[in-house]
């Protein structure tokens, strides 16, 4: 589990509560303002997103708070091992190995070269799969970016509603001037809710999904490079060096240290 995501969101709410003061927390609780801001945002999300995105929300939450799933060092070791098997026993020997691979993309890619499909066709099929993955993930984190942009807008709508109601009910001659302060405070709470949930909830989720997407895409691009290299019969040591070039300097150092 990615403790940083959970800790960050909880800390964000906690620090805001601390800044408000526990004794004054009641001033910021308004069910109607919450209904306008959060309810309106959720309504727009439902209206603007396809059903498959809505069904995948629990999965998105699991990804956002889950630990790192794709480790490039693991894929380097696995691909190099496959390359050694192919060099020693031929490409057909990889068919049995493919059944042991849990990563569906890697498994399917191995089976493509086992079936002796043309390398250009293999590359095209794998890149098309990556393009689809990229588009699908973009729709997912774009969904939460939409929420982050919509939430403050509904906060402003709630503020305008509050101001209109306040001005409509204002009766200065009847001594209504004393109600301006409380009424204005209530009107502004919706803006507070909009900014709070956009920046503490929706933006962090969208950014974490982007991070997980980048991690997955890196590993899958390494798979494309590795599989095509195996099919062309390249030396496993050379394949390893090519895949290591995808890593950051810190990851390269970590890999070198673990190899000692």
């Amino acid at each position: 589990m990615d403790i940083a995501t959970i800790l960050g969101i909880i800390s964000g709410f906690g620090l805001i509560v601390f800044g408000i003061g526990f004794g004054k927390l009641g001033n910021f609780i308004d069910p109607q303002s919450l209904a306008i801001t959060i309810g309106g945002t959720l309504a727009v999300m439902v209206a603007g997103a396809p059903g498959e995105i809505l069904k995948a929300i629990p999965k998105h939450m699991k990804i956002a708070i889950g630990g790192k799933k794709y480790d490039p060092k693991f894929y380097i070791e696995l691909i190099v091992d496959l390359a050694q098997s192919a060099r020693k026993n031929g490409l057909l020997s990889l068919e049995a190995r493919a059944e042991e691979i849990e990563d569906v993309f890697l498994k399917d890619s191995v089976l493509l070269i086992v079936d002796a499909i043309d390398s250009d066709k293999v590359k095209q099929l794998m890149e098309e799969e990556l393009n689809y993955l990229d588009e699908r993930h973009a729709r997912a984190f774009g969904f939460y970016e939409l929420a982050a942009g919509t939430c403050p807008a509904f906060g402003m709508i709630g503020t305008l509603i509050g101001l209109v109601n306040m001005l409509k009910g204002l009766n200065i001659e009847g001594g209504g001037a004393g109600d301006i302060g409380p009424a204005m405070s209530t009107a502004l709470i919706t803006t507070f809710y909009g900014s709070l949930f956009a920046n503490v909830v929706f933006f962090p989720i969208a950014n974490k999904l982007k991070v997980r997407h980048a991690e997955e895409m890196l590993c899958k691009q390494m798979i494309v490079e590795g599989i095509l290299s195996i099919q062309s019969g390249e030396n496993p040591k050379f394949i390893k060096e090519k895949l290591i070039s995808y890593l950051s300097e810190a990851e390269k150092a970590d890999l070198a240290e673990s190899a000692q």
Side-chain angles (χ1 to χ4, degrees), residues 44-260:
V44 168
M45 292 171 69
V46 171
E52 61 183 27
I53 294 293
L54 298 176
K55 293 178 182 178
I57 289 177
K59 181 180 178 181
H60 297 161
M61 297 301 101
K62 183 179 179 181
I63 293 173
I65 66 175
K68 185 176 180 179
K69 182 180 178 181
Y70 292 91
D71 183 2
K73 296 187 290 295
F74 166 79
Y75 282 93
I76 290 175
E77 294 175 359
L78 180 55
I79 292 170
V80 170
D81 186 42
L82 292 172
Q84 291 172 342
S85 296
R87 190 175 182 86
K88 182 178 180 181
N89 304 311
L91 288 177
L92 290 178
S93 66
L94 298 182
E95 185 172 9
R97 294 288 308 275
E99 298 303 321
E100 303 171 358
I101 298 174
E102 295 183 2
D103 188 301
V104 176
F105 181 71
L106 177 55
K107 178 179 178 179
D108 291 344
S109 300
V110 170
L111 292 176
L112 285 176
I113 62 174
V114 168
D115 292 337
I117 297 177
D118 180 73
S119 60
D120 290 336
K121 186 63 175 178
V122 171
K123 183 178 180 180
Q124 179 186 351
L125 291 172
M126 288 193 291
E127 289 181 345
E128 286 177 354
E129 178 65 24
L130 289 187
N131 290 335
Y132 171 74
L133 179 71
D134 189 51
E135 292 175 2
R136 179 162 53 87
H137 286 182
R139 289 197 300 269
F141 53 71
F143 175 70
Y144 297 96
E145 289 178 332
L146 171 64
T150 303
C151 207
F154 270 97
M156 183 58 66
I157 290 173
T159 296
L160 293 175
I161 291 173
L163 290 175
V164 169
N165 288 336
M166 180 190 72
L167 294 174
K168 283 286 187 178
L170 186 61
N171 184 1
I172 297 179
E173 295 180 356
D179 297 332
I180 293 179
M184 178 67 77
S185 176
T186 300
L188 293 175
I189 287 177
T190 52
T191 299
F192 167 76
Y193 283 150
S195 298
L196 175 65
F197 283 94
N199 292 286
V200 180
V201 178
F202 296 122
F203 269 132
I205 291 175
N207 287 332
K208 183 51 66 76
L209 291 178
K210 285 184 178 181
V211 169
R212 296 295 179 235
H213 166 71
E215 293 170 353
E216 182 176 355
M217 285 295 291
L218 173 65
C219 291
K220 282 181 166 47
Q221 287 166 353
M222 292 171 65
I223 290 172
V224 172
E225 184 69 44
I227 290 298
L228 293 175
S229 297
I230 292 173
Q231 187 179 32
S232 64
E234 294 181 9
N235 189 298
K237 292 183 178 180
F238 180 62
I239 294 175
K240 183 176 182 179
E241 291 301 319
K242 286 204 299 185
L243 298 181
I244 288 177
S245 67
Y246 282 80
L247 304 180
S248 65
E249 292 302 321
E251 289 173 325
K252 290 178 182 178
D254 184 47
L255 182 63
E257 182 178 344
S258 63
Q260 295 177 355

